[in-house]
Amino acid sequence: MNQDRQNPVGDQHQPTWRKPAGIFLILLLIAVWAAIIVSLSPWVGTWPVLVQAVFYLVTGVIWIMPLKPLLRWMELGRWRG
């Protein structure tokens, strides 16, 4: 049987320590970011509802920005392209 049919992904390298470390860092980033945002809730709670919605929408998306270099590091072993 053809080797490519047995392994459709092709020649894969063994996982490195970067993948579990990267997953841990992603979870840590989420936890720290959530703690920071939650600590701001006493002040944010006094804002008008629409302003709160914009704040939580923006802060809910901002944490994704550090993921690109982190994911690149997990895959390639370097921070910049």
Side-chain angles (χ1 to χ4, degrees), residues 7-72:
N7 189 0
V9 179
D11 185 28
Q12 290 240 328
H13 299 289
Q14 290 291 340
T16 65
W17 62 272
R18 289 190 313 264
K19 297 217 182 203
I23 291 169
F24 174 76
L25 288 173
I26 290 170
L27 294 174
L28 182 65
L29 170 70
I30 292 169
V32 169
W33 188 250
I36 291 169
I37 300 307
V38 166
S39 71
L40 297 175
S41 66
W43 295 283
V44 175
T46 63
W47 299 351
V49 174
L50 291 176
V51 177
Q52 289 182 44
V54 170
F55 172 79
Y56 286 120
L57 179 68
V58 169
T59 57
V61 172
I62 286 179
W63 71 271
I64 296 172
M65 290 204 280
L67 288 184
K68 185 175 181 181
L70 180 58
L71 291 172
R72 183 181 306 119

